[in-house]
Amino acid sequence: MSKAHEQELVLAAQFPTPQREQWQELIAGVLRKSGRVPADFDGDAAEKIATKTYDDILVQPLYTRTDVAPAAGMPGLPPFVRGSRPEGAVATGWDVRQRHVFADPAAARKAVLADLEHGVTSLWLVVGDAGLSIAALPDVLDEVYLDLAPVVLDAGADFLAAADALLEVHSDKAIPASEVRGNLGADPLGLRARTGSEQDFDGAIQLAVRVSGDFPELRTLVADALPYHQAGGSDAQELGLSIATGVAYLRALTDAGLTVEQAANQVEFRYSATADQFSTIAKFRAARRLWARVLEVSGAPTVPQRQHAVTSPVMMTRRDPWVNMLRTTLACFGAGVGGADAVTVLPFDAAIGLPDDFARRIARNTHAVLLEESKVAGVIDPAGGSYYVERLTDDLANAGWAFFQSIEAAGGLVAALESGLVEQRLGETWAKRSKNLARRKDPLTGISEFPNLTEKLPVRETAPAGPSGGLPQVRLAEAYEELRDLSDAQPQRPKVFLATLGPVAAHTVRGSFAANLFQAGGIETPNAGATTTAAEVADAFAASGTQIACLCGSDKLYEERAADVVQALRAAGAVKILLAGKGDYDGVDGYVHIGCDVLAVLRDTLKTLGVGA
């Protein structure tokens, strides 16, 4: 090898060190060209493109070493920000936990065995009124090696009977008490939030005390944050309410005679994982830090928070449900990178009904791709050290702690639920999110963006109804899907004619924008194509069979042709004429543009067409 090849390869040193000011000027140049700032703008460009979360956390477009965050510590050591175990999940991966809601024992048994044979490592069984009969547990679990595949129960108010039945199954299989793992799933506070009625809190605490003495590896209680997430809550609200739940259980368990360490070992925390991967990563890291702080001041600083991640039910859609595969993949990735101990991927058809074999297969294979092919668990805390992730973790931890303190100041979680404080605060967040959904500032692929009016939805058996009557349960797509259902139910699909002006190149952007907007409500959008005269536009409108038109073209074409086209459309029978863009044009009844209230436009359009009036 020549001496030239023996020399060290130097890359970064060959370029000048970039300065933040240079980056700022480049961004400012883009903003000037787009018209977002004036031509003489010389301010902080980063402020113009920074965004705020629903917890009022400012997310910057660039993070550097100047964005200081508290030291995250080491994996497996307090405050457990970097993970609950020193070795992370490198050797085993996270626990692949599949949820089962089948009421039919035969279907449940078949699904359970199929999942365990193809990569699932623990079972989450919904039993009682909302799922499988408790009496069917022995049959469903007959061929399951419970010492290898732990069971987590979700029995609602029937948790005592379900717990006894599951423990009897373990006894019949001669599994030593020291090897019984899983969780009996008692969560009287979470159930109270879902139902609005008082639950058997004392019974849950007594069960936990009994289990702690007899089954050292088995947990009894779940501090479930999903009721608050499903009511529209933010990440920080989810964190604060979960910690408030955990504190309530901790107090009751220690009052009943357990040590703080024994009490902490009885509780598992359940959080949502969304398609916002960075927020999900930060949330799971922040949650461990918050619970570590609670245990530190309580006298048990070395018990890490046990975490169960569930891909968000709120983000799941009934329309274009196959996109849910992408959403759950991102959510699973975020939860795994964030250090969740167990992860449940909801099947892509979960919002439609009972999942079929294919949907459950895709759900479990999502884990397989991330764990086996992508090696996501092959690095301990892979997001650790990122300026953005560390800053976001700290910001989210502080916001979550502040919300927890507000719940404590109100008298604790039970008092905050009874007074309506929790519902009010969650409702305020949902109102903000709903406004952004309506304006497509929070886009939903396949729903508010790029809808498919010709899709054929899968048909699924209706899933058993879960507990309700307390906090509302929302989904991001529900308002758009209601309009799609309304449109689909008509003998003929409602239509809005796109009066495209000039050559195709002149109307492509606004035409595509308007088509997406109306199709989000199930409204077809026939168009005029490339037209040269107002008469041609009017003739195409008359042939479309609708009463509403929307002009689509450039500002120059609007100035030149809008008046004539509007007049021709009126003569052809148009009762309402909209325009894609903004401006002041005679005869136009309204405008559709970026940032407009899409849902309001869709409802008004359907009403004009006699749909849903």
Side-chain angles (χ1 to χ4, degrees), residues 319 451-452 455 480-488 520 522:
R319 296 288 179 162
N452 178 11
E455 67 179 337
Y480 286 97
E481 289 179 339
E482 287 174 3
L483 296 179
R484 289 282 298 275
D485 291 344
L486 192 61
S487 295
D488 288 356

Side-chain angles (χ1 to χ4, degrees), residues 19 39 51 86 106 115 128 138 164 231 328 373 411 482 485 493 516 519-520 583 606:
Q19 301 299 319
T51 58
D115 284 342
D164 288 340
T328 54
E373 296 187 29
E482 287 174 3
D485 291 344
R493 184 174 292 282
N516 268 320
Q519 289 170 17
L606 290 172

Side-chain angles (χ1 to χ4, degrees), residues 556-599:
K556 182 180 179 182
L557 283 171
Y558 289 160
E559 292 288 347
E560 295 174 350
R561 300 183 56 192
D564 291 340
V565 172
V566 167
Q567 185 177 4
L569 288 170
R570 293 291 186 196
V575 300
K576 188 168 188 176
I577 299 176
L578 304 172
L579 182 140
K582 296 180 181 180
D584 184 15
Y585 303 101
D586 291 338
V588 174
D589 299 307
Y591 302 89
V592 293
H593 52 82
I594 294 175
C596 73
D597 189 330
V598 174
L599 287 172

Side-chain angles (χ1 to χ4, degrees), residues 44-356:
D44 187 348
E47 290 184 357
K48 298 295 181 180
I49 54 177
T51 58
K52 271 192 175 183
T53 71
Y54 290 104
D55 295 307
D56 286 330
I57 295 172
L58 191 65
V59 178
Q60 298 286 356
L62 178 69
Y63 286 82
T64 68
R65 67 185 63 191
T66 61
D67 295 288
V68 180
M74 297 294 290
L77 296 175
F80 302 108
V81 172
R82 304 205 64 194
S84 59
R85 295 177 292 174
E87 71 278 14
V90 173
T92 61
W94 54 78
D95 176 8
V96 178
R97 183 174 296 174
Q98 190 87 311
R99 185 171 187 259
H100 293 270
V101 295
F102 294 98
D104 176 42
R109 179 181 175 126
K110 177 183 175 183
V112 161
L113 294 177
D115 284 342
L116 291 174
E117 289 171 0
H118 296 92
V120 167
T121 55
S122 70
L123 303 171
W124 181 15
L125 302 181
V126 180
V127 298
D129 293 340
L132 184 71
S133 167
I134 294 173
L137 274 175
D139 179 51
V140 171
L141 299 175
D142 180 51
E143 297 182 54
V144 176
Y145 294 95
L146 294 178
D147 51 340
L148 301 178
V151 172
V152 174
L153 292 177
D154 183 352
D158 298 325
F159 64 85
L160 286 174
D164 288 340
L166 181 62
L167 292 176
E168 186 174 347
V169 173
H170 281 85
S171 177
D172 291 343
K173 290 177 176 287
I175 298 175
S178 61
E179 295 182 18
V180 176
R181 295 176 295 135
N183 195 311
L184 299 179
D187 183 22
L189 294 181
L191 191 59
R192 184 172 190 153
R194 288 195 184 277
T195 64
S197 58
E198 187 173 352
Q199 302 297 319
D200 187 5
F201 187 90
D202 291 339
I205 298 304
Q206 292 167 11
L207 176 63
V209 171
R210 173 162 64 93
V211 166
S212 178
D214 297 337
F215 302 93
E217 299 300 320
L218 179 64
R219 297 173 188 265
T220 304
L221 298 167
V222 176
D224 192 356
L226 290 186
Y228 313 110
H229 171 69
Q230 288 184 269
S234 67
D235 290 329
Q237 289 169 336
E238 196 178 336
L239 286 172
L241 289 163
S242 72
I243 298 301
T245 304
V247 166
Y249 290 152
L250 201 64
R251 287 171 176 153
L253 289 169
T254 52
D255 287 346
L258 296 186
T259 67
V260 176
E261 183 174 357
Q262 288 173 324
N265 280 323
Q266 280 299 301
V267 185
E268 180 177 70
F269 288 76
R270 183 175 294 146
Y271 295 105
S272 69
T274 72
D276 186 337
Q277 61 178 4
F278 288 109
S279 291
T280 296
I281 293 168
K283 179 165 64 179
F284 282 89
R285 299 172 94 245
R288 291 192 295 272
R289 174 178 162 188
L290 295 182
W291 188 236
R293 177 57 179 159
V294 168
L295 295 184
E296 180 184 19
V297 298
S298 301
T302 58
V303 181
Q305 184 187 63
R306 177 76 182 179
Q307 295 179 328
H308 174 201
V310 182
T311 58
S312 166
V314 176
M315 72 180 179
M316 303 295 276
T317 67
R318 289 189 295 107
R319 296 288 179 162
D320 210 349
W322 298 274
V323 180
N324 291 329
M325 298 182 195
L326 307 178
R327 296 186 179 100
T328 54
T329 299
L330 287 167
C332 184
F333 173 86
V337 171
D341 299 286
V343 181
T344 295
V345 172
L346 296 182
F348 72 86
D349 53 0
I352 300 175
L354 287 175
D356 69 356

Side-chain angles (χ1 to χ4, degrees), residues 36 68 146 227 273 423 457 471 521:
R36 292 183 59 181
V68 180
L146 294 178
E423 185 170 4
L457 294 176
L471 294 176

